[in-house]
Amino acid sequence: MNKQVSSGAAAHLDFYLDRGCVVVPCLPGKKHVVKGAGDWTPERSVADRERLSRNAAVRNGTGGLLVVDIDAKHGGSLALMAEQFPGSTMTRTIQTVSPGPDGLGAQLIYSLPDGFRIRQSTLVRNDQGEPMIEVAAFAMLPGSRARGADKVQRYYEVVRNISPHPATPELLALVEARTVVEHSEPAQVNEDAADARARFDVLVARVAAAGSGQRNEVFTQCALPIVRLCDVLDEDPEEVLTSAYEQSGGTDDRWIASAIRSAVNGAAGGPLGRLELGGWAARRLAKIETWARFSPWVGQAGASDRRVLLALVAACVEQGNTETTLGKRRLALMAGISEEAVEDSLKRLTAQGRLETFKTDTWHTRRPVPPPDDNTHTFPPYVRGTITTTPDIDDLVRGLEPLHMVWSIPKTAKGLGVDGRHGHLYDLVCAGLTTAKALGDYVGSRPDSLNRPLARLVEVGLLVKTGREFAPADHARKLADKLAVELGGVEVCARRENKYLDDDLKWVEVQRRQREPTQQPIEAQESIVDLLESSYEQELSDQEKAEILQELAEEAEEDRRRWEDEQELMRQLGI
């Protein structure tokens, strides 16, 4: 056996401590950090070096190091890492202790840009929602010894002893911590209790519904706002969070206690802020949005696929994340098309590699994927060769968004509609393809096949035609707002939203009726009363009988209401 391995973590401490990492002791022969390890600092790690000589772990993201864990027991492998993140596997590598179909797992160690902050992230999941590749809070040091998933004791061992390579931009975008960009005062006692309760219930339900593979990540995201809402609603945050964690199937008492303590400390330490994506993650989504808006999108279904991909990006930006659990109906409302069209587009986008979908018992997590190759050199002139930022795009297209309700105007007896294909052509004209021939060459259509949609855009005033050249109208956004109202775009979107809401309410009502106890005949009620009386030493009065039956009825009603509340929460989550 390698002498460095058998000597424990001591032989590898300099690699981490010299970089300023936080290294903490772990329990002998186990992967669990010792109690209080969350409070350690780089200085404490240096001062207590002797405690780190056997089993130890590094806090991920400290000392400018990122550790990506390839979980072999769930099907992770270096080959999968290379497929998902090309060019990322030639870096410092540590072999871990749990085996899988392709051998033992691994840790890949990367260097981070100065000041870069990470967050716990699941990068790839298997079909059961379990993490195949993830970024955990701590990573074991080489030389540490622990029991693998097969119950065999093994050492963590360096198998590629080279300096950490810089993390790729795609990897940085997915592990970057979110930032507080908009501060407000902490929640006050006089805040609307109904609104606070609604937000509280949704967040708690999400924690409770999280399954294996996403439990800790969802808990970390929701714990801080739950603690702050507990202060408004006079709830015990420790009791609420512990209960939700246990309902999700969590069993790590040490981890949950530490996570709750961190959330409580965080809630007391600063004002409530809105979390948004960091710079790397925001650029990743901007790249996907630019690609979606200005790519050719060949074929009849291209316009729908484009709108769905843009809706997914918008949902990610709104939620401050690189993935979303938004359901098909919510996506349909954002994209301005039917739920059936969304479902078909999701399948096509997944098959094309534009979307990754992770299915769990409760919901689907969807992550938009940037194009594998930089093909921006083929884009229209005004967006060629760059990833255009949102302010630049807004100025370019006169502030008219690709998911505006003007692109949902229906066909009528009075004239053609205005749909996603018109929106795509409008964007391409704004980006510099100003003739029917240029547009036809780019999207792979005959110029004469574009005459009708272009003429329609000129007819409603969104484009202006001079000779053979098209240009966007100066006040296109203001005009689009007016057109959406006058020509039925707003009505179509509102009708679809109301229909989905009515369908949900009907479904809830059917389920409620199925759960409602049927009305008992008089004879049955009397037999119940007789049964109740038999448990007492004396005959019950009419008032006592009525009170008991009333109590039973109230319990049944409470059960029914609780079930309806659960269904409503699930509907609000879009699942």
Side-chain angles (χ1 to χ4, degrees):
M1 181 181 294
N2 186 305
K3 185 175 180 180
Q4 277 196 324
V5 172
S6 61
S7 63
H12 303 275
L13 285 175
D14 288 344
F15 174 85
Y16 297 91
L17 296 181
D18 289 351
R19 287 172 165 79
C21 294
V22 175
V23 181
V24 301
C26 295
L27 298 176
K30 296 183 179 180
K31 303 178 186 179
H32 302 304
V33 299
V34 299
K35 186 176 180 179
D39 299 327
W40 279 48
T41 62
E43 294 74 21
R44 173 79 180 276
S45 298
V46 173
D48 283 1
R49 182 185 181 115
E50 292 301 319
R51 294 184 61 188
L52 309 174
S53 60
R54 303 305 299 175
N55 269 22
V58 60
R59 184 185 295 163
N60 213 343
T62 61
L65 294 181
L66 168 67
V67 183
V68 175
D69 182 54
I70 298 175
D71 199 333
K73 67 178 180 292
H74 293 149
S77 67
L78 286 172
L80 178 64
M81 183 71 183
E83 177 186 343
Q84 295 288 321
F85 303 96
S88 66
T89 56
M90 292 302 295
T91 188
R92 187 177 182 85
T93 306
I94 296 170
Q95 182 176 276
T96 60
V97 298
S98 288
D102 298 308
L104 293 171
Q107 295 173 359
L108 297 179
I109 302 180
Y110 304 93
S111 61
L112 293 169
D114 291 343
F116 188 93
R117 297 186 306 111
I118 72 165
R119 62 188 175 108
Q120 295 181 56
S121 311
T122 300
L123 304 179
V124 183
R125 298 181 178 91
N126 60 20
D127 292 340
Q128 289 72 46
E130 298 165 326
M132 302 168 75
I133 302 175
E134 66 175 334
V135 174
F138 288 91
M140 298 295 288
L141 261 61
S144 298
R145 185 168 181 260
R147 195 180 302 275
D150 58 352
K151 309 301 181 184
V152 176
Q153 287 274 3
R154 296 184 180 90
Y155 286 97
Y156 287 78
E157 182 177 355
V158 177
V159 293
R160 182 174 285 136
N161 191 11
I162 60 176
S163 296
H165 282 207
T168 64
E170 175 70 3
L171 191 54
L172 291 173
L174 293 178
V175 304
E176 184 176 23
R178 294 180 292 177
T179 56
V180 178
V181 297
E182 203 173 83
H183 288 286
S184 61
E185 292 302 315
Q188 300 296 322
V189 175
N190 62 357
E191 180 178 342
D192 188 291
D195 290 344
R197 174 61 67 179
R199 296 201 310 275
F200 174 83
D201 289 342
V202 169
L203 290 169
V204 172
R206 187 172 184 189
V207 173
S212 176
Q214 59 178 354
R215 181 180 300 114
N216 291 2
E217 182 178 353
V218 172
F219 185 96
T220 303
Q221 292 173 358
C222 298
L224 185 58
I226 287 175
V227 170
R228 286 172 170 155
L229 289 168
C230 282
D231 185 51
V232 175
L233 301 170
D234 197 25
E235 298 274 4
D236 184 340
E238 183 174 357
E239 181 178 333
V240 168
L241 290 170
T242 301
S243 175
Y245 178 76
E246 290 175 348
Q247 288 180 47
S248 72
T251 58
D252 191 339
D253 294 340
R254 189 183 300 273
W255 184 88
I256 187 63
S258 175
I260 291 174
R261 183 171 61 252
S262 297
V264 171
N265 291 340
L272 183 63
R274 179 168 59 87
L275 288 173
E276 275 197 355
L277 296 162
W280 289 88
R283 283 190 291 274
R284 179 181 188 271
L285 288 177
K287 180 179 181 180
I288 300 172
E289 182 184 25
T290 301
W291 186 92
R293 290 193 77 161
F294 301 109
S295 285
W297 292 103
V298 178
Q300 292 184 343
S304 295
D305 295 351
R306 173 179 181 265
R307 294 172 81 162
V308 171
L309 183 55
L310 286 167
L312 286 164
V313 172
C316 290
V317 172
E318 182 179 323
Q319 297 170 2
N321 212 331
T322 53
E323 56 191 35
T324 177
T325 57
L326 208 63
K328 288 180 290 187
R329 288 193 166 186
R330 296 295 181 88
L331 288 172
L333 296 176
M334 291 184 70
I337 58 178
S338 69
E339 181 184 3
E340 295 76 17
V342 167
E343 185 171 6
D344 292 339
S345 288
L346 290 173
K347 292 176 182 177
R348 287 190 294 268
L349 290 169
T350 301
Q352 296 163 9
R354 299 273 65 82
L355 180 67
E356 293 177 350
T357 302
F358 313 111
K359 185 177 180 181
T360 66
D361 293 337
T362 314
W363 54 56
H364 289 77
T365 299
R366 299 181 175 95
R367 179 189 295 159
V369 178
D373 302 316
D374 183 5
N375 61 348
T376 55
H377 63 283
T378 66
F379 278 6
Y382 298 159
V383 293
R384 183 171 298 160
T386 63
I387 299 302
T388 308
T389 61
T390 299
D392 292 336
I393 290 181
D394 285 345
D395 184 58
L396 189 68
V397 300
R398 308 295 194 268
L400 182 50
E401 307 96 337
L403 301 180
H404 193 284
M405 285 184 284
V406 74
W407 309 125
S408 297
I409 293 175
K411 295 179 181 179
T412 66
K414 297 182 180 179
L416 295 172
V418 180
D419 57 25
R421 191 184 187 205
H422 296 92
H424 187 208
L425 291 175
Y426 175 86
D427 277 354
L428 295 180
V429 169
C430 292
L433 300 178
T434 58
T435 66
K437 184 180 186 307
L439 289 165
D441 290 344
Y442 185 70
V443 300
S445 298
R446 299 190 315 274
D448 58 349
S449 70
L450 302 178
N451 287 337
R452 289 188 69 189
L454 288 171
R456 179 60 171 162
L457 287 169
V458 173
E459 179 186 354
V460 298
L462 293 173
L463 289 183
V464 177
K465 186 178 182 183
T466 305
R468 295 184 178 182
E469 299 278 334
F470 296 91
D474 289 336
H475 303 290
R477 171 55 194 263
K478 185 176 180 180
L479 177 60
D481 293 342
K482 181 181 178 183
L483 291 171
V485 174
E486 294 179 351
L487 300 183
V490 172
E491 182 181 352
V492 167
C493 294
R495 191 184 305 125
R496 181 179 292 116
E497 183 173 6
N498 290 335
K499 177 183 181 300
Y500 290 162
L501 179 59
D502 289 343
D503 289 347
D504 288 346
L505 293 176
K506 289 176 183 177
W507 182 81
V508 170
E509 179 64 17
V510 169
Q511 297 297 315
R512 183 186 66 80
R513 289 177 178 176
Q514 290 177 354
R515 287 174 56 90
E516 275 187 346
T518 56
Q519 185 66 35
Q520 298 285 348
I522 298 299
E523 295 81 3
Q525 291 185 13
E526 290 176 351
S527 65
I528 292 174
V529 171
D530 292 340
L531 182 62
L532 290 171
E533 280 189 309
S534 66
S535 62
Y536 291 84
E537 296 180 356
Q538 58 186 16
E539 184 178 352
L540 298 173
S541 67
D542 290 342
Q543 181 177 353
E544 289 172 329
K545 295 175 184 178
E547 289 176 353
I548 292 173
L549 289 174
Q550 177 65 25
E551 184 178 347
L552 292 173
E554 290 176 354
E555 290 179 358
E557 177 67 13
E558 179 64 26
D559 288 341
R560 180 184 65 78
R561 288 178 178 175
R562 186 182 299 112
W563 179 86
E564 287 184 355
D565 290 343
E566 291 172 356
Q567 300 306 313
E568 175 62 15
L569 287 174
M570 300 298 278
R571 188 189 68 77
Q572 292 178 19
L573 290 170
I575 55 180

